[in-house]
Amino acid sequence: MSDVDRVIAEYENTGSLSKADVEFLLSLEDEKDLQKLFSQANEVRERNVGGEVHLRGIIEFSNYCSRACLYCGISRHNRGLARYRMDTEEILETAEQAVSMGFRTIVLQSGEDPFFTTSIIAGLVSEIKAMDVAVTLSVGERSREDYAAWKKAGADRYLLKFETSDPELYRRLRPGCSLVQRLECLYQLRDLDYEVGSGIMVGLPGQTLASIADDIFLMRKLGLSMAGIGPFIPHPATPLASCPAGTASLTLKVLAVTRLLLPWANLPSTTALGSIDKEGRREGLLAGANVLMLNLTPLKYRRLYEIYPAKAEAEDDPASLKAAAVELVTRLGRRVSSGYGEGKKGVRIEN
Ligand code: 5AD
């Protein structure tokens, strides 16, 4: 029995992996070994969340951001970037259009933009909920009161990546922020009964395989409904411009191991993965992923929401994006889900 076979057999027996096993899986390079890992993740995905792929429509409604994250192209320090805010009417029209195209989840995402007050966002949520879809918010760290108000307005899910579980690296990359504060937000969201999504970037400067293993165990401990895993892609207008990008290969390994340790979770095959490798999204769907997030931001704004360069889908209209996603899913012998694609909430882990 090879080492990979042994680790996979151990996983099948216990439903868990040791940290050493995770690091071992993340260090695989041999093509045959990688195929074993990916097909195990694919099987675990099939057994736990089935063959359906959920499509989410994202509207990036403001690129104003009060944060200064070293990796991010819409950091407040990027003075060269034209800033935009969609108005309420435009956001609702975009959502309406998405719903009429069959999207059952609308994701509202923005930089951390205090212009959008508690009540503006609550208003958007309740109007979009009235269209009979699930609503995901991804607008950063806000007060517990805000999170509670938006839940009351009907929000179903909240997406807030912790990016790295290494507190030092976190502090370096996100000046003025702390991992503790981030986790506090995630616990509040869980207590408020949101379906909580989080996740990480792979290949951050200074990140190690051991720290990625910790990231995966933290995602498991948080009992996330959803976990987004994408490669770090250096943006030329940031302090990390000259750092190497994360690789598709490592990202796929992290995704696969995450599927093994969070078998219940909704895992997107991310836009970032599709941006560094044109087969990335397909490979992600074959390595444990069951969600595709499609960018429905009106074309005139889309290029301005450049958190990293050469973002996939920068030019395509919603109809062609959806057609391409359906084609991809069908080609893999899977189905596009017609439901809301809700995740399990606040899963508690025994081991
Ligand atoms: N490369 C890849 N992903 C990035 N994000 C932000 N900046 C980058 C980058 N340079 C991701 C983060 C954030 C999400 C909105 O985009 O994970 O949570």
Side-chain angles (χ1 to χ4, degrees), residues 69-74 109-110 138 159-163 174 182 199-202 204 228-235 238 240 272 305-309:
C69 307
L70 267 57
Y71 45 81
C72 186
I74 70 167
Q109 185 166 79
S110 69
S138 179
L159 180 52
L160 187 75
K161 295 195 186 179
F162 63 77
E163 318 291 4
R174 312 198 71 230
R182 195 73 161 184
I200 60 163
M201 281 181 279
V202 173
L204 289 166
I229 290 149
F232 158 69
I233 305 174
H235 188 293
T238 66
L240 302 184
Y305 204 87
E306 198 190 59
I307 48 189
Y308 51 82

Side-chain angles (χ1 to χ4, degrees), residues 37-50:
L37 170 62
F38 298 154
S39 72
Q40 176 69 22
N42 196 44
E43 239 174 76
V44 171
R45 188 268 310 147
E46 181 70 35
R47 248 188 272 152
N48 288 275
V49 294

Side-chain angles (χ1 to χ4, degrees), residues 81-281:
L81 181 66
R83 301 287 170 163
Y84 72 89
R85 285 186 181 110
M86 290 171 65
D87 64 30
T88 302
E89 205 177 314
E90 211 174 7
I91 297 170
L92 293 176
E93 255 168 41
T94 308
E96 191 89 62
Q97 219 177 18
V99 175
S100 70
M101 287 176 54
F103 285 93
R104 307 301 307 276
T105 295
I106 301 297
V107 183
L108 293 179
Q109 185 166 79
S110 69
E112 295 208 7
D113 182 0
F115 173 90
F116 286 90
T117 57
T118 319
S119 65
I120 297 178
I121 295 203
L124 287 169
V125 168
S126 63
E127 297 262 11
I128 297 176
K129 278 306 284 181
M131 303 173 193
D132 187 25
V133 287
V135 173
T136 302
L137 289 174
S138 179
V139 302
E141 292 180 24
R142 302 280 290 235
S143 67
R144 188 187 171 97
E145 289 69 36
D146 281 359
Y147 293 154
W150 301 336
K151 187 73 179 52
K152 200 164 157 224
D156 301 277
R157 310 182 184 139
Y158 204 98
L159 180 52
L160 187 75
K161 295 195 186 179
F162 63 77
E163 318 291 4
T164 172
S165 63
D166 173 342
E168 276 312 307
L169 181 59
Y170 187 98
R171 225 215 305 258
R172 228 179 313 138
L173 295 176
R174 312 198 71 230
C177 301
S178 77
L179 181 62
V180 168
Q181 200 182 316
R182 195 73 161 184
L183 295 178
E184 181 57 31
C185 288
L186 289 168
Y187 287 120
Q188 287 174 358
L189 291 161
R190 189 175 75 177
D191 290 346
L192 289 164
D193 205 33
Y194 279 91
E195 282 176 44
V196 179
S198 191
I200 60 163
M201 281 181 279
V202 173
L204 289 166
Q207 193 183 41
T208 60
L209 292 188
S211 108
I212 296 175
D214 290 337
D215 295 344
I216 300 173
F217 285 109
L218 178 55
M219 294 192 280
R220 176 173 164 97
K221 182 176 150 212
L222 289 167
L224 299 177
S225 304
M226 186 273 207
I229 290 149
F232 158 69
I233 305 174
H235 188 293
T238 66
L240 302 184
S242 60
C243 296
T247 62
S249 148
L250 182 56
T251 306
L252 287 167
K253 287 185 268 184
V254 177
L255 174 62
V257 176
T258 302
R259 169 57 70 199
L260 301 187
L261 289 178
L262 286 73
W264 64 84
N266 281 327
L267 301 182
S269 192
T270 54
T271 310
L273 178 56
S275 302
I276 57 164
D277 179 340
K278 67 178 184 1
E279 295 300 317
R281 283 194 145 187

